[in-house]
Amino acid sequence: MSDEALMKAVRAGRTVEAAGLLDGMTDAERRSCLPALKELRKELRSAPWNAASRVAHPALHAAGAACHTGAAGAAAWIAGADMRWSQASPGVLLHVLGDRESDWLADLTHRLAARPTTSRVPFALLSGLVGLSGCPVPTTDAYVEGWLLHVGTSAPGGGTVAQQLRKEPRLSEMIGAFFESAGLTIQIAWVFGDGPGSWYNALAELAEEGTLDRKVLVDACVARLLRGGVPADQRVFVRLLSSLAPTRDEERERVADWTALACQALPAVAWHAQSVLASLALDDELTPRQLADMSSGVLFRTEKKLVRAQLVLLGKVLRRDPSAADVLLPVVAEAFGHEDTEMQERALKLVERHAGALSASDGAPSVGTLSASDGARSRLAELTADLSPGLRLRAQQVLGIEAAVSAGTVQEEVLPPVPERERLAAAPESVAELAEEVSAILASGGGVAAFERALDGLVRHAHRDRDALVEALGPVVARCWWRDREPSYPVVNRVFRESAQGLEVVLASLFEGVGMDTLYAAVQHGPAGGDCHHTALSRAVDARLWEAAHRLRTDPMPFLLATPTWDSGLLEPDELVERLTEYRRLDARPGPADFAQALLRVRRDDAETVAAAAARARTLGSPEGYRLAQWLTSEAPLLPAVRRRTHGLRVLLELGELEEVQGLFPREFRPLGRPLTVFKDRSYCRHWGATDQQHWIAVVPGRRELVAARLLRDFSTAVLEDGRMGAAVLPLLAEADGTAGEALHLCVAYGLGARHPEDRLAAVDALLVLAARGQLDAGRLGADLGELVRRGTLKKSRLAESVRTAAATGAYATVWAVLRGLLPVVLADLADGAGGAAVRGLGDLLAVAADCAERSGARDDLPHLAGAAGQRGSSRVVIQARRLRTALTPEAVA
């Protein structure tokens, strides 16, 4: 009866009553209650999360902990994730567990403390169990995290952290465990707080009075910094180390540690270590060799602030001790290879200023030996090769190096290999192979080639042996969202009525998971819902998929006509004629959408091949044969008229009508030829991702401008809003066939200034592919960039990062040609006194331009450059403008 009373109290949520019943039970009686408690727990897991279901959780939590007679089982029950948010209080748990033996309690304590911090075992429970069992304090991450929070929040009445810490009996042990912990999930900066009563001041105060060992704390801070971690936590240990105020002796003892931190740690940590070493160096506490070792690592870093500070330090040391030039100047010259030419120039100026010290220390070397100065000078000469071409000539003059030693300053243009078309393989011959390919596409998507092969394979095998195909695909579709839904479940039909969802609608039709009325409505009337600027492309893709899915259940097609010959989406005309011939032999009815897609894909740029295919098509005697012959021999324009329009900060394009994609084409394909206007917005667009965009390119292969114009708004959104444009589509557009016109160049311009790095990198790839194919109009792209920058659409800093990345691949001449069209616009704004907006980011653009001009050997008279270079001062804009002017007109500057 006691077990029934316990379960009744637990279900009612009467925790106190349940605890009282447990007090009088033996271990055997408790074990007998455990199955019912587990069953109740299972029941509550599937119950709705509401007040009625939560009422039993605290009592169930306490009862289950008490009824487990094994420590492992009790620990698993107490830390269970399903009861984490509504559990018994630590006091209740300590009460129901208080009659256990101390060894059992110690085992439970250490099992709970060993749980991950995400288990959120209450610290009050852990510390209470330590007190009950008398076991050693666990120093796990979970216990340490709980202790930190406990100390920071358990000082009532305005007590300080220092006062609370003095009461801790195992203070040194817990502090040591804190420094060694690796899995804390709390924000240490938040726990440590700020102000006079913070942890920083508390630990410094306890170290000062001797309660904590000062040397141990300093060593622990340095060790934690050397170990690394997230920036927020590292800043905490830097601040704590500063609060401890290490003495000069303590700093000198740790020179190797400071050096490692300055060279490899996070910037905030490296800055602190660098400042410590700088102080030691200026007080003659570092040898030149120690300073050289430290400088070699720091100058290799990308953070300009650290590099600049290190060069300043080296300059101070060289002024005080010229004899250190033999050791330090070769290290200074290692900055010649820095990616920022401003850092290169700073290092070169330092070498120029102190190169005389090398000669001063040059004594007569012994026979067969080389003096230190000779070795240093040789190393300097070697490192000048890393300088930008303009600075390299200057360095050679300073060091007295003959020009012949240096290689030519003009570098050969390096562009990626031109992408080549690949012919599609035939559809999989076996249903097992097809099932594998379909599974891969469902799991991670696929390109045009993989998708088209799989779609054609589904149609072919459904026509040959539907039962075998269903059996092979059974395990593949088992995890599809529409599988095993009730026939009347409305969501499946609604989703497939709005979009075909790629291969999903064909698979759902094959397994009769979508209604015939839904497929018929989709084929007859198109998608449900509103239109957007992508609809013309998406409707063409979906129309063919809906048609294939519908025909699987009504009149299966033997194969698809529109399966492309090439991975670009193009279809060879003779291959289409052969397919129509086979359809004629089989007396099969072509799908209207499939045939329309085949017409849009058929290649028409080879007059001889087209004429022969058209003649063969006429002999078929079928309507499709005559239609194909007419299509092949027509001379309709490939692209519609284009009109440039502005919409807010955006520059977009409007397209005129394309009459050839009208008339006899099915209704779902006609929007491809209708005018596109940028001011006819739709309030909803369901095309959130870039999964379908590669298939849109294959809808109109050879006419990528039609796709690019419809994607322009997405690319502008990736610049002006926190959106992503689909990083993969731009390189695919660049690799596609057709004219690279105004729309594609404007897409690349937006991409180069996109908000997210992956989008900018995709635009760089597209730029390089167009250049490699000889299709890049650098002047047009530069003018587009200039217009977008002037309108405030693009940020020059993002643009500078993109063109710097492109130039770093070796495409210096290409990037200069683009910047040649951009820079006059931004320099004109500077000359007109446009203010800070004109200057911001301009120095970075000029730096990339100067580097490209130097390396490509460009010679030009850039408008407005002389005015920028002739300004007073040493700002980055002025310095880089002068450098660019020198590169472009060396004779005039000389």
Side-chain angles (χ1 to χ4, degrees):
M1 294 297 293
S2 59
D3 56 344
E4 293 181 4
L6 176 64
M7 291 306 301
K8 186 175 181 180
V10 169
R11 282 187 175 274
R14 298 193 292 269
T15 307
V16 176
E17 180 182 342
L21 293 171
L22 288 165
D23 286 342
M25 289 186 181
T26 65
D27 284 353
E29 290 173 333
R30 292 184 178 185
R31 281 195 296 269
S32 67
C33 296
L34 201 53
L37 292 172
K38 290 181 178 180
E39 189 63 30
L40 176 59
R41 181 182 183 182
K42 182 179 179 180
E43 177 186 329
L44 292 178
R45 280 175 179 164
S46 58
W49 185 251
N50 52 34
S53 67
R54 292 200 307 269
V55 68
H57 272 90
L60 176 63
H61 191 230
C67 290
H68 275 88
T69 55
W77 183 281
I78 292 171
D82 54 331
M83 290 185 281
R84 187 172 302 160
W85 304 109
S86 184
Q87 57 183 249
S89 67
V92 171
L93 290 173
L94 291 172
H95 172 80
V96 299
L97 296 172
D99 58 351
R100 300 288 186 180
E101 296 179 355
S102 58
D103 290 344
W104 189 95
L105 289 172
D107 189 11
L108 175 64
T109 303
H110 286 280
R111 288 179 182 274
L112 288 174
R115 291 266 169 173
T117 55
T118 52
S119 297
R120 300 300 178 202
V121 178
F123 177 74
L125 174 61
L126 291 174
S127 60
L129 288 173
V130 170
L132 286 176
S133 65
C135 67
V137 174
T139 55
T140 62
D141 290 339
Y143 195 89
V144 170
E145 182 173 303
W147 178 79
L148 289 172
L149 293 171
H150 165 73
V151 171
T153 58
S154 62
T160 65
V161 174
Q163 292 171 345
Q164 184 66 26
L165 289 174
R166 290 189 182 97
K167 301 175 185 177
E168 292 294 322
R170 300 179 177 88
L171 177 60
S172 297
E173 184 179 358
M174 292 307 300
I175 291 295
F178 160 66
F179 280 107
E180 294 175 2
S181 61
L184 300 184
T185 59
I186 58 172
Q187 294 183 358
I188 301 177
W190 174 79
V191 173
F192 267 53
D194 210 343
S198 67
W199 274 79
Y200 304 106
N201 292 337
L203 292 176
E205 182 180 338
L206 295 179
E208 186 68 25
E209 68 188 28
T211 304
L212 290 173
D213 190 320
R214 172 190 176 78
K215 184 178 184 303
V216 170
L217 286 179
V218 173
D219 285 341
C221 276
V222 174
R224 187 62 185 254
L225 293 173
L226 287 168
R227 194 173 75 192
V230 298
D233 290 353
Q234 291 282 282
R235 284 192 287 269
V236 168
F237 292 108
V238 169
R239 182 174 173 184
L240 178 57
L241 186 59
S242 299
S243 298
L244 293 171
T247 65
R248 181 47 58 92
D249 289 340
E250 290 171 333
E251 290 176 344
R252 190 168 48 249
E253 291 171 359
R254 297 171 176 83
V255 167
D257 295 332
W258 305 130
T259 300
L261 292 173
C263 297
Q264 300 175 9
L266 294 169
V269 180
W271 181 257
H272 175 80
Q274 185 188 44
S275 64
V276 172
L277 289 170
S279 178
L280 291 172
L282 294 176
D283 288 345
D284 295 328
E285 303 275 359
L286 288 184
T287 66
R289 176 48 56 191
Q290 287 176 316
L291 179 58
D293 292 341
M294 171 255 193
S295 299
S296 182
V298 174
L299 294 177
F300 186 74
R301 299 184 65 118
T302 58
E303 299 88 357
K304 291 187 286 187
K305 180 181 178 181
L306 291 169
V307 175
R308 189 183 299 113
Q310 193 66 25
L311 290 173
V312 170
L313 172 62
L314 288 167
K316 290 179 180 179
V317 172
L318 285 168
R319 282 197 302 271
R320 295 176 53 180
D321 183 13
S323 64
D326 293 336
V327 176
L328 297 183
L329 280 187
V331 176
V332 171
E334 292 183 11
F336 289 174
H338 198 276
E339 62 180 13
D340 191 325
T341 56
E342 184 180 344
M343 298 300 104
Q344 294 182 15
E345 187 168 12
R346 284 176 176 269
L348 180 56
K349 286 181 178 179
L350 201 56
V351 171
E352 289 173 338
R353 191 175 301 124
H354 299 282
L358 295 175
S359 300
S361 62
D362 190 8
S366 302
V367 177
T369 65
L370 189 69
S371 72
S373 292
D374 287 337
R377 190 176 297 276
S378 174
R379 178 59 177 161
L380 288 171
E382 178 183 343
L383 292 173
T384 57
D386 296 333
L387 286 166
S388 64
L391 295 176
R392 190 184 311 153
L393 294 174
R394 180 171 142 194
Q396 290 169 350
Q397 293 173 357
V398 171
L399 297 174
I401 304 172
E402 294 182 5
V405 175
S406 175
T409 58
V410 178
Q411 297 187 7
E412 183 180 355
E413 184 78 349
V414 178
L415 293 171
V418 176
E420 296 183 1
R421 294 177 184 167
E422 292 186 9
R423 183 178 285 271
L424 260 68
E429 287 294 332
S430 68
V431 291
E433 183 183 356
L434 175 61
E436 290 181 2
E437 295 194 11
V438 170
S439 178
I441 291 173
L442 292 179
S444 58
V448 171
F451 182 87
E452 291 289 344
R453 288 185 68 247
L455 178 60
D456 188 41
L458 289 172
V459 171
R460 288 175 181 270
H461 285 286
H463 182 266
R464 294 175 191 169
D465 190 343
R466 180 190 179 99
D467 294 338
L469 179 60
V470 169
E471 182 180 356
L473 289 173
V476 174
V477 303
R479 58 182 180 272
C480 288
W481 62 273
W482 45 264
R483 189 70 174 131
D484 297 329
R485 297 282 188 179
E486 293 293 332
S488 60
Y489 193 67
V491 172
V492 174
N493 287 311
R494 187 180 77 239
V495 169
F496 283 129
R497 183 68 178 80
E498 293 176 352
S499 169
Q501 304 290 313
L503 293 181
E504 297 260 7
V505 71
V506 180
L507 295 170
S509 177
L510 189 64
F511 285 83
E512 300 185 359
V514 59
M516 277 297 298
D517 54 344
T518 298
L519 294 176
Y520 180 79
V523 169
Q524 293 297 317
H525 306 293
D531 293 343
C532 65
H533 49 284
H534 305 120
T535 304
L537 296 164
S538 65
R539 288 179 71 153
V541 174
D542 285 348
R544 186 160 164 256
L545 292 167
W546 279 321
E547 180 180 82
H550 184 258
R551 291 285 295 270
L552 283 180
R553 305 263 286 277
T554 57
D555 180 19
M557 295 179 286
F559 52 84
L560 292 176
L561 295 172
T563 303
T565 306
W566 304 97
D567 58 356
S568 63
L570 284 173
L571 173 59
E572 290 296 328
D574 54 352
E575 191 167 337
L576 179 54
V577 173
E578 290 175 3
R579 293 174 186 175
L580 286 174
T581 303
E582 183 65 13
Y583 259 71
R584 184 76 167 168
R585 188 187 70 80
L586 296 172
D587 195 23
R589 179 171 60 91
D594 186 36
F595 180 62
Q597 180 63 88
L599 290 179
L600 290 175
R601 284 178 173 173
V602 70
R603 188 167 66 89
R604 298 190 287 174
D605 58 356
D606 186 339
E608 184 177 346
T609 302
V610 165
R616 290 178 56 200
R618 288 191 189 93
T619 63
L620 293 177
S622 64
E624 289 78 19
Y626 286 120
R627 179 76 176 95
L628 175 58
Q630 179 189 19
W631 177 261
L632 289 174
T633 56
S634 65
E635 297 182 358
L638 290 176
L639 295 174
V642 178
R643 184 182 181 187
R644 198 177 186 95
R645 301 296 295 269
T646 58
H647 191 201
L649 294 177
R650 292 173 166 89
V651 177
L652 302 175
L653 298 180
E654 291 185 333
L655 300 181
E657 187 174 18
L658 193 62
E659 293 183 1
E660 66 169 354
V661 192
Q662 299 291 323
L664 298 178
F665 272 82
R667 182 174 52 83
E668 295 305 306
F669 285 79
R670 293 173 194 165
L672 289 168
R674 291 175 186 157
L676 171 69
T677 172
V678 301
F679 297 106
K680 195 176 180 181
D681 287 327
R682 296 292 187 265
S683 58
Y684 174 73
C685 175
R686 63 177 175 80
H687 307 98
W688 296 105
T691 306
D692 297 332
Q693 291 178 354
Q694 59 184 332
H695 301 297
W696 296 349
I697 301 173
V699 169
V700 282
R703 307 186 194 192
R704 54 184 169 185
E705 285 286 288
L706 294 178
V707 181
R710 287 173 168 82
L711 293 177
L712 268 176
R713 184 176 293 274
D714 299 325
F715 294 161
S716 66
T717 299
V719 175
L720 297 171
E721 302 173 22
D722 191 18
R724 284 177 166 83
M725 68 184 188
V729 70
L730 256 184
L732 293 177
L733 279 171
E735 294 172 5
D737 296 307
T739 302
E742 192 171 358
L744 181 54
H745 281 79
L746 198 51
C747 286
V748 175
Y750 276 120
L752 292 173
R755 180 180 294 255
H756 296 285
E758 61 270 25
D759 288 335
R760 296 197 294 272
L761 188 59
V764 170
D765 289 343
L767 167 68
L768 297 175
V769 169
L770 288 174
R773 300 182 70 185
Q775 298 173 340
L776 178 67
D777 186 338
R780 165 180 278 174
L781 179 58
D784 286 340
L785 291 171
E787 181 179 1
L788 293 173
V789 169
R790 173 167 283 175
R791 296 182 63 84
T793 308
L794 299 186
K795 292 184 177 180
K796 292 190 284 291
S797 57
R798 293 177 185 166
L799 186 55
E801 180 182 336
S802 296
V803 293
R804 183 185 299 112
T805 301
T809 66
Y812 297 107
T814 298
V815 174
W816 164 249
V818 173
L819 292 176
R820 175 65 181 81
L822 164 65
L823 288 177
V825 177
V826 293
L827 289 173
D829 290 341
L830 182 67
D832 292 340
V839 176
R840 193 176 303 117
L842 179 55
D844 293 332
L845 276 176
L846 289 170
V848 179
D851 195 38
C852 291
E854 291 171 347
R855 295 178 185 273
S856 64
R859 297 292 183 267
D860 207 340
D861 184 13
L862 196 66
H864 308 292
L865 178 60
Q871 292 182 0
R872 294 182 178 180
S874 58
S875 67
R876 181 168 175 77
V877 170
V878 174
I879 290 174
Q880 296 302 330
R882 291 170 182 166
R883 178 181 163 218
L884 178 57
R885 182 183 60 177
T886 302
L888 294 176
T889 56
E891 301 83 3
V893 174

